[in-house]
Amino acid sequence: LRGHSHWSYEDLKHWSTDYSDCGGTKQSPINVDTAQATFSPDLRPIQLSGYSLPANKQLKLKNNGHTVVLELPESLALTGGYAQQYRAVQLHLHWGSPLGPGSEHTINGRRFPAEIHVVHYNTKYDSFTEAMVHPDGLAVLGAFLEVGHGENQYYHEILKHLFEIQEVGQETLVPGFNIAGLLPANLKLYFHYNGSLTTPPCYQTVKWTIFNQTMLLSHNQMSMLVSSLRTDDDKLLQSNYRPVQNLHGRRVLASFQ
Ligand SMILES: NS(=O)(=O)c1c(F)c(F)c(SCCc2ccc(C(=O)O)cc2)c(F)c1NC1CCCCCCC1
Ligand SMILES: [Zn+2]
């Protein structure tokens, strides 16, 4: 993955020359046109197990030059909503700048201030790297972040460490907490579609779940997110989102009407 870090959000055109899947027909992110989404009553509530981690479980938080990544133990598992079991790999965020929002997915053309992705791999494969090249290999849970009134205590567990990893490659340790608190309380309402990693190598191996309920952060927390991290040319790491990709006939399912 080290070799994948020389791309940037500025030269998107070259992604598909260096990584052929980036030019594929099942790419992410997408715009969700809610009027075109198909209600699918057999979409079950997403169920998380093992997401509540004790404080003595230290998690690595890293600035990898493209986002902030929190590495997750495989003890976190997706046990509902997907036909097979998936285990957590990492979570990371996408955000904008003081000039504009930075979610990756959009809803009816609306871009949200930020978006969290919790990445999992299908346990029928021996490892994440093995899973990530199979169409049913990965499951990513996505939720939008908006500015509300109060501080979000769960996001604070990550945001309060950002100053320690301002430079690319820096990492720090975060005490365990209830990772489920980073996702909506209502895991029944979501959109579902087959897509890809939104970064090179853009493998088309992700079953995406985008929750309908958004997460609320304070204004201060959102500004910490958009103005703490730097990239490898010492500029602020901002607007780390890929433009929405064509559906090419794919259907988006909705677990609700
Ligand atoms: N939205 S997403 O899930 O596609 C995604 C992004 F959009 C991302 F932008 C990222 S970060 C860019 C990829 C990367 C670069 C460097 C390092 C490192 O030095 O450790 C690691 C990763 C990023 F890490 C991920 N998720 C990754 C996809 C990259 C390859 C496998 C790693 C787990 C999932
Ligand atoms: Zn992502």
Side-chain angles (χ1 to χ4, degrees), residues 1-2 7 9 62 64 66-67 90 92 94 104 117 119 128 132 197-199:
L1 294 179
R2 305 263 173 270
W7 53 270
Y9 287 103
K62 177 176 181 179
N64 69 18
H66 303 280
T67 182
Q90 52 106 300
H92 62 273
H94 298 269
E104 292 219 292
H117 289 159
V119 183
F128 169 76
M132 104 172 142
L197 297 173
T198 66
T199 176

Side-chain angles (χ1 to χ4, degrees), residues 55-68:
N56 61 10
K57 174 76 182 166
Q58 305 263 43
L59 303 173
K60 191 192 288 186
L61 188 74
K62 177 176 181 179
N63 171 351
N64 69 18
H66 303 280
T67 182
V68 54

Side-chain angles (χ1 to χ4, degrees), residues 103-137:
S103 68
E104 292 219 292
H105 291 86
T106 57
I107 305 289
N108 299 329
R110 177 184 171 200
R111 192 175 299 284
F112 291 79
E115 186 171 338
I116 184 173
H117 289 159
V118 189
V119 183
H120 305 73
Y121 78 95
N122 190 327
T123 52
K124 83 186 201 185
Y125 302 109
D126 296 341
S127 71
F128 169 76
T129 31
E130 158 73 28
M132 104 172 142
V133 295
H134 293 86
D136 60 350

Side-chain angles (χ1 to χ4, degrees), residues 45-237:
I46 299 295
Q47 283 181 317
L48 311 173
S49 85
Y51 265 58
S52 190
L53 295 171
N56 61 10
K57 174 76 182 166
Q58 305 263 43
L59 303 173
K60 191 192 288 186
L61 188 74
K62 177 176 181 179
N63 171 351
N64 69 18
H66 303 280
T67 182
V68 54
V69 180
L70 184 68
E71 293 186 3
L72 297 171
E74 294 194 339
S75 54
L76 279 67
L78 275 188
T79 52
Y82 282 82
Q84 300 162 66
Q85 190 182 87
Y86 289 80
R87 289 193 177 278
V89 178
Q90 52 106 300
L91 65 84
H92 62 273
L93 301 170
H94 298 269
W95 58 86
S97 75
L99 299 181
S103 68
E104 292 219 292
H105 291 86
T106 57
I107 305 289
N108 299 329
R110 177 184 171 200
R111 192 175 299 284
F112 291 79
E115 186 171 338
I116 184 173
H117 289 159
V118 189
V119 183
H120 305 73
Y121 78 95
N122 190 327
T123 52
K124 83 186 201 185
Y125 302 109
D126 296 341
S127 71
F128 169 76
T129 31
E130 158 73 28
M132 104 172 142
V133 295
H134 293 86
D136 60 350
L138 302 180
V140 181
L141 304 182
F144 298 115
L145 315 185
E146 293 190 276
V147 175
H149 291 294
E151 288 257 308
N152 184 306
Q153 59 170 19
Y154 296 102
Y155 278 86
H156 196 61
E157 294 302 311
I158 294 174
L159 298 172
K160 68 186 177 185
H161 292 281
L162 293 186
F163 77 96
E164 300 165 36
I165 55 170
Q166 292 178 54
E167 303 307 326
V168 180
Q170 284 187 311
E171 40 191 72
T172 188
L173 291 175
V174 171
F177 62 98
N178 184 8
I179 303 296
L182 299 172
L183 291 172
N186 186 334
L187 300 176
K188 287 197 320 223
L189 308 179
Y190 58 85
F191 297 102
H192 198 69
Y193 80 99
N194 292 326
S196 73
L197 297 173
T198 66
T199 176
C202 306
Y203 294 147
Q204 300 184 130
T205 57
V206 180
K207 289 186 174 302
W208 280 94
T209 293
I210 305 292
F211 291 111
N212 188 43
Q213 191 178 359
T214 64
M215 307 309 297
L216 295 180
L217 275 62
S218 70
H219 183 79
N220 275 356
Q221 287 180 307
M222 192 63 79
S223 65
M224 274 172 77
L225 177 59
V226 305
S227 56
S228 294
L229 302 187
R230 300 192 169 282
T231 64
D232 39 18
D233 46 12
D234 226 23
K235 284 198 310 224
L236 275 177
L237 174 47

